[in-house]
Amino acid sequence: MILLQSASRFLLQILQNRLISSEKSVDLDCHSVEFDDVRYHIQFSVKSPQVMLLSISLPIPPPETVFVNGLPLGSIEAVKGAYGELVQILDPPKDGYNLTMKLNFTKLPQDEEQRKAILVKVASVREVVLGAPLRMVLHHLASRTTFPNMGQLIALVHRPKESFFLIPQVEKVTVIFPMRFRDSVDIVLATSFLQEFVESRRAAALSNAPLCTWSPTPPQELKGAPPDAVAANAGFVTFVIYPRHADVRKLDKTAWSLSTFHAYVNYHVKCSEGFMHTRMRRRVETLIQALDRAKPEMERTKKLAQGNSFKRLSLKDGRGNSIP
């Protein structure tokens, strides 16, 4: 199974080219789009080569989610905690974006390894912003402290106009994903994939992994959710997260894996579909080759100019000799 990386490869490549190499002699103004409709706008100027303007647009939130000033709960605090004095948040952000940051790279540390680590963190701004409310819940779980909405259903955005749900408790957090797909083939493959995904959790090597279940109908925990929010055509996946899954070493990884779970499933569904198409094409080619080898040797024919064919006949006299 391939896991999605939190750092945007496109954004990281731009940062490395501008700051580590010598590509600073031109202005840069470019856009990038990632999965789940996360968009970036990156700007560098020759006049200030060590300053970058980075704007990020998040997926459109459904009505059941809570956004504060266009951002998920706790995002501003998460950005300040992750980047410190490196970042200045511009208010208001650029039109069409949820957040615009001004990054001053003259404040990067001198140590090369630390610089690279911070650049990776900047390229992971999606994880910092979009995963902020989930990390807050997991942090309370790890410390076993009371969360303000303890025991209540919390909706978090992860795809355009789609959400997943949390039920935080002192000893565990229940995470529920309504799985939706547009293509009928994707629905069938995703359903099969998710059922196998749940079965693999029972392996002895995965005994410490979060408890995982799949259901074709909404679980009881979603009883109070809006009907549109629980309309799913590939069932519902439920994870139960315990404090050991949210300690300091695992917190970021757990939050990222949960917030991108649908994209993870969708990626492997598309890979499976492409693999099966490739196998079918190879099988058809093999059958065609077998049919070609089985054809009898055809009589030699000659084509007329009109495209018709004829067979040369030999005339013979009464004695059996050929007549030219």
Side-chain angles (χ1 to χ4, degrees):
M1 294 296 179
I2 298 176
L3 298 176
L4 302 174
Q5 300 299 315
S6 60
S8 168
R9 295 182 63 182
F10 177 79
L11 180 54
L12 182 60
Q13 187 66 48
I14 288 179
L15 293 172
Q16 291 174 343
N17 290 342
R18 296 290 297 199
L19 301 179
I20 297 178
S21 66
S22 58
E23 296 183 10
K24 303 176 183 179
S25 59
V26 295
D27 291 336
L28 179 66
D29 191 325
C30 59
H31 300 260
S32 174
V33 181
E34 281 194 344
F35 59 91
D36 294 338
D37 199 30
V38 174
R39 302 172 183 270
Y40 301 106
H41 184 195
I42 304 131
Q43 294 173 291
F44 277 98
S45 173
V46 174
K47 296 179 180 179
S48 302
Q50 294 293 330
V51 174
M52 179 180 76
L53 288 181
L54 174 61
S55 300
I56 179 172
S57 173
L58 304 178
I60 300 173
E64 64 270 11
T65 58
V66 178
F67 266 41
V68 179
N69 296 326
L71 290 170
L73 186 66
S75 297
I76 297 297
E77 293 77 9
V79 169
K80 293 179 180 179
Y83 305 120
E85 61 179 8
L86 178 68
V87 166
Q88 176 187 353
I89 299 175
L90 302 185
D91 188 21
K94 288 184 175 293
D95 290 341
Y97 294 89
N98 299 81
L99 177 68
T100 298
M101 302 183 299
K102 182 178 181 180
L103 293 92
N104 186 355
F105 292 110
T106 60
K107 298 182 179 181
L108 287 173
Q110 296 299 320
D111 183 74
E112 190 67 23
E113 292 299 323
Q114 292 181 2
R115 289 170 63 91
K116 290 182 179 179
I118 292 179
L119 292 183
V120 172
K121 194 67 175 179
V122 172
S124 304
V125 63
R126 169 206 174 107
E127 175 190 17
V128 174
V129 176
L130 204 55
L134 178 56
R135 283 199 304 275
M136 288 174 55
V137 173
L138 295 178
H139 177 74
H140 282 278
L141 174 66
S143 59
R144 290 180 171 86
T145 55
T146 303
F147 191 73
N149 297 323
M150 191 67 67
Q152 299 181 11
L153 195 64
I154 301 174
L156 301 181
V157 63
H158 66 139
R159 288 165 54 82
K161 298 182 180 180
E162 294 184 14
S163 57
F164 67 102
F165 299 90
L166 309 179
I167 301 96
Q169 296 173 324
V170 176
E171 296 296 331
K172 65 179 182 180
V173 172
T174 304
V175 187
I176 305 173
F177 292 89
M179 304 302 295
R180 307 175 182 92
F181 296 87
R182 295 180 180 179
D183 187 77
S184 58
V185 176
D186 290 352
I187 295 172
V188 174
L189 291 177
T191 302
S192 176
F193 177 87
L194 292 171
Q195 291 174 339
E196 195 67 28
F197 186 86
V198 172
E199 288 296 323
S200 64
R201 163 63 179 78
R202 300 178 181 179
L206 299 176
S207 58
N208 291 327
L211 180 65
C212 178
T213 60
W214 177 87
S215 171
T217 58
Q220 289 296 323
E221 291 86 350
L222 296 182
K223 188 175 182 180
D228 293 341
V230 295
N233 51 26
F236 298 80
V237 179
T238 302
F239 292 98
V240 180
I241 309 299
Y242 293 102
R244 67 176 183 271
H245 303 127
D247 60 20
V248 176
R249 296 171 299 170
K250 301 178 182 178
L251 179 61
D252 288 341
K253 183 177 180 180
T254 300
W256 172 253
S257 299
L258 289 173
S259 60
T260 58
F261 177 71
H262 193 288
Y264 165 83
V265 174
N266 192 49
Y267 175 82
H268 285 87
V269 165
K270 293 300 184 183
C271 288
S272 299
E273 189 174 349
F275 175 75
M276 287 188 289
H277 286 171
T278 302
R279 290 291 301 272
M280 286 189 291
R281 292 190 189 99
R282 291 177 179 174
R283 182 59 177 165
V284 169
E285 291 174 357
T286 302
L287 292 175
I288 291 175
Q289 292 174 0
L291 289 174
D292 288 341
R293 290 194 297 268
K295 288 181 180 179
E297 185 177 354
M298 302 298 292
E299 295 182 358
R300 294 182 179 181
T301 60
K302 291 185 178 181
K303 294 289 182 180
L304 298 175
Q306 295 82 2
N308 297 323
S309 61
F310 70 94
K311 182 169 64 176
R312 183 181 296 276
L313 300 177
S314 298
L315 299 180
K316 297 182 179 182
D317 56 15
R319 297 179 181 179
N321 297 323
S322 297
I323 300 175

